[in-house]
Amino acid sequence: QVRVPEKRDLGCSRWRYNFDINVSDPSGAIASKYVQWYVDLDPRVRLIVLPLKLLLGYTGLNNAKTGYLCTYGWVLCVIAFLQSRSPPVLPAF
């Protein structure tokens, strides 16, 4: 259930990009900056996340409505994995 006003599925079907717009909750922008910070810190994050995102999209495993993690959740899993390596690939703050 959405608690804030939201416009859903404004994506372009030709390119298969779907997105949601939320104008009253800043947490999405903060989350985006968090991920962008890690991508800027180490380009390998992008090299892992983008193919994973494509794979999850094809298999349907990135849909929180059906019981799976959303894309952001999978990205957090990748970041946590890279932080837990020995030595860590990414710093944990």
Side-chain angles (χ1 to χ4, degrees), residues 37-86:
W37 184 79
Y38 276 112
V39 169
D40 291 342
L41 191 63
D42 192 326
R44 293 177 289 183
V45 174
R46 179 172 298 189
L47 294 175
I48 295 171
V49 167
L50 290 180
L52 177 64
K53 187 173 176 180
L54 285 173
L55 176 68
L56 294 168
Y58 286 127
T59 59
L61 296 176
N62 65 339
N63 189 345
K65 292 179 186 176
T66 58
Y68 298 105
L69 290 175
C70 63
T71 303
Y72 179 66
W74 287 108
V75 170
L76 292 180
C77 288
V78 169
I79 290 171
F81 172 77
L82 294 173
Q83 289 173 334
S84 67
R85 301 296 87 206
S86 182

Side-chain angles (χ1 to χ4, degrees), residues 23-42:
V23 294
S24 62
D25 185 6
S27 62
I30 294 167
S32 294
K33 288 182 182 185
Y34 173 77
V35 171
Q36 186 63 50
W37 184 79
Y38 276 112
V39 169
D40 291 342
L41 191 63
D42 192 326

